Amino acid sequence: MATIWSDESRLARWLDVELAALDAWAEVGSVPAEAVAAIRAAVQVPTPERVAEIERITDHDTAAFVDAVTEQLGPEGRWVHFGLTSSDVVDTALSLQIQDSGRLVVDGIDRALAVVVARAQEHRHTVCIGRSHGVHAEPTTFGWKLAGWAFELDRARTRMATALESNRVGQLSGTVGTYAQVEPEVERIACERLGLEPDPLSTQVIARDRHAELLCALGLCATSLERFATEIRHLARTEVREVEEPFGKGMKGSSAMPHKRNPKVAERICGLARVVRAAALVGFENVPLWHERDISNSSAERIVIPDAFLALDYMLDRFAWIVEGLVVHPERMRRNLEASHGLVFSHRLLLALVESGLARDDAYRLVQRHAMDAWEHERDFRKLVGADPEIAPCVDLDAVFDLDATVRHVDTVFERLHALAGKEEPVHA
């Protein structure tokens, strides 16, 4: 990813666009084919140092690049940048960089998805407590939790693919996009050679709603990773300790406290998600340019687009590392579930009483009274309701307090997960 966004790669992509344009000019008969052949035989990507040296004089990076290219050539060099304006080169090359980067991000999502699916299958029947508002709610399984992450990653992949397709466009339409000095056929041929589609209407720049969509897709993916990392952080708290990040031999969790095993990589993911989301905001701000074109977008997106890709690429790699090596404590999950003294069955008891003929609110108040007693005095909920003559004779308490019954539909979700894993061939699951 760093290579794609290096100065060397950026200049190489600029040259790719210039050469594709020359090929197109030659094909339509406006530039001698032998001149294009001579250029291709002699030209090399100029070094960033040479372009910077010329730019100190020109105060224009694209003009400096063109000068650095043409100084390598003989008389044929006059055809370089023929009919083009800076944005033709810069925007089209940016689209190529986005496609290259996007492929790496999709690969990263695929790897993360594969790891999540594998661990979800492993813990398909590992029962744990589900929480709402951070408070015990009802049982679930750890695999069920991870399956939800898998489906979200699949949606992230779909959004990424859509955004990449929206950005698979190039432009060689000249100043203010009117093809006054360049032929539409040149644009079509050059874009085809570069693996892009011509933008149906560019106004000297490709409209930045495309890039905003891309940054939103990156930001949403980063935010999903933050959600997963936040869950890991909560489950790793000392009071919970249901999972732990991988902790290898020789690692230190704290410079001061030798006992510490902190969820530091998950915290790193959460921090970087803020950076990627901030980039998405810049993408929105870059959409409303003045008239046909200004360059208020340029300085900002030269930072945020590479940084968003770099950050997310790293986040995906670290997230896959966490999940693959995640230490899971099923016995602790069971103890935590049991720590609320059976209150996780209150909803099943409520429904059983309703089915027995009791009015819902009467049943609710009856169950709630015993639930609060169990909660406040740490008493066994089943024993309390079993001793109540208004409840015990009316329901089958063994059926009500059946833990397996609470997660009996887990196979339904995993059938869907199996279909998801089979849908995407690149997913290594």
Side-chain angles (χ1 to χ4, degrees):
M1 187 65 80
T3 298
I4 291 169
W5 295 104
S6 67
D7 287 339
E8 290 82 1
S9 292
R10 174 173 55 86
L11 297 177
R13 282 309 199 179
W14 285 9
L15 185 58
D16 287 340
V17 176
E18 294 281 6
L19 293 175
L22 283 169
D23 288 342
W25 278 119
E27 189 166 327
V28 299
S30 297
V31 172
E34 57 273 18
V36 175
I39 291 170
R40 279 194 169 276
V43 75
Q44 294 184 2
V45 180
T47 66
E49 293 76 17
R50 179 53 181 155
V51 174
E53 183 181 7
I54 298 172
E55 188 180 350
R56 282 192 285 274
I57 299 169
T58 63
D59 196 29
H60 193 294
D61 58 351
T62 315
F65 163 77
V66 173
D67 289 349
V69 170
T70 56
E71 70 181 4
Q72 308 172 38
L73 307 171
E76 297 86 359
R78 70 186 187 278
W79 297 112
V80 174
H81 206 62
F82 184 72
L84 304 183
T85 189
S86 299
S87 295
D88 291 327
V89 176
V90 173
D91 277 10
T92 304
L94 177 59
S95 294
L96 296 174
Q97 290 177 288
I98 286 171
Q99 297 305 308
D100 292 340
S101 299
R103 281 188 284 272
L104 291 184
V105 165
V106 171
D107 286 347
I109 294 173
D110 283 341
R111 286 193 299 273
L113 180 53
V115 171
V116 169
V117 168
R119 295 308 301 268
Q121 294 284 9
E122 179 186 348
H123 291 285
R124 181 175 186 157
H125 298 294
T126 302
V127 178
C128 62
I129 186 62
R131 299 170 175 89
S132 59
H133 305 274
V135 177
H136 283 203
E138 294 192 2
T140 183
T141 77
F142 191 60
W144 207 318
K145 188 190 297 282
L146 294 178
W149 298 3
F151 288 112
E152 191 163 339
L153 284 168
D154 180 64
R155 293 192 294 274
R157 190 189 196 283
T158 299
R159 280 190 293 266
M160 194 68 215
T162 300
L164 288 174
E165 186 61 23
S166 294
N167 280 273
R168 197 176 61 81
V169 295
Q171 63 151 65
L172 283 84
S173 56
T175 52
V176 302
T178 57
Y179 302 102
Q181 315 302 334
V182 62
E183 296 297 320
E185 183 65 4
V186 169
E187 179 184 63
R188 185 196 68 76
I189 295 169
C191 285
E192 183 178 272
R193 286 174 178 256
L194 295 168
L196 305 173
E197 295 288 334
D199 191 329
L201 194 155
S202 55
T203 62
Q204 191 164 332
V205 292
I206 293 172
R208 258 46 194 176
D209 65 294
R210 297 180 186 273
H211 305 80
E213 180 185 6
L214 170 75
L215 288 166
C216 284
L218 295 172
L220 266 172
C221 184
T223 302
S224 291
L225 295 181
E226 182 182 13
R227 181 173 87 85
F228 312 152
T230 298
E231 180 72 10
I232 291 169
R233 291 169 60 194
H234 279 305
L235 296 181
R237 287 180 296 135
T238 303
E239 296 82 358
V240 180
R241 200 170 174 268
E242 294 183 4
V243 304
E244 293 178 274
E245 278 190 11
F247 196 85
K249 184 178 180 180
M251 290 176 64
K252 294 183 178 181
S254 166
S255 63
M257 297 168 283
H259 73 278
K260 295 300 289 295
R261 293 177 61 167
N262 303 323
K264 61 184 182 182
V265 179
E267 290 172 337
R268 197 179 305 159
I269 288 171
C270 292
L272 287 173
R274 299 164 190 169
V275 174
V276 184
R277 279 197 300 275
L281 178 59
V282 175
F284 282 119
E285 298 286 353
N286 280 347
V287 174
L289 302 179
W290 285 17
H291 305 298
E292 276 61 52
R293 174 244 189 175
D294 68 54
I295 59 168
S296 60
N297 62 293
S298 178
S299 55
E301 69 191 19
R302 290 185 191 213
I303 298 169
V304 298
I305 293 179
D307 280 4
F309 271 117
L310 285 159
L312 183 57
D313 185 51
Y314 176 78
M315 291 167 68
L316 286 163
D317 177 78
R318 292 295 81 198
F319 174 71
W321 175 84
I322 291 175
V323 175
E324 187 171 40
L326 191 68
V327 180
V328 180
H329 299 295
E331 70 290 344
R332 181 68 178 223
M333 291 177 175
R334 180 59 69 95
R335 288 205 303 272
N336 285 343
L337 187 151
E338 294 170 350
S340 51
H341 315 291
L343 290 176
V344 296
F345 298 102
S346 71
H347 189 197
R348 290 178 62 79
L349 179 57
L350 167 64
L351 296 180
L353 288 171
V354 170
E355 289 174 344
S356 74
L358 205 59
R360 180 182 175 84
D361 190 61
D362 292 341
Y364 190 101
R365 297 301 178 186
L366 187 60
V367 173
Q368 187 183 47
R369 184 174 75 242
H370 291 297
M372 292 303 100
D373 188 4
W375 181 272
E376 293 167 8
H377 301 104
E378 298 190 2
R379 302 175 66 185
D380 186 270
F381 182 57
R382 175 166 180 165
K383 289 182 179 179
L384 290 173
V385 299
D388 190 327
E390 293 185 80
I391 296 177
C394 302
V395 299
D396 179 353
L397 289 179
D398 287 337
V400 167
F401 286 82
D402 180 359
L403 182 61
D404 290 338
T406 65
V407 292
R408 65 190 182 279
H409 294 301
V410 67
D411 288 344
T412 299
V413 167
F414 274 82
E415 287 171 8
R416 298 169 185 166
L417 184 63
H418 179 73
L420 171 69
K423 182 184 73 173
E424 301 289 354
E425 283 302 323
V427 176
H428 313 299

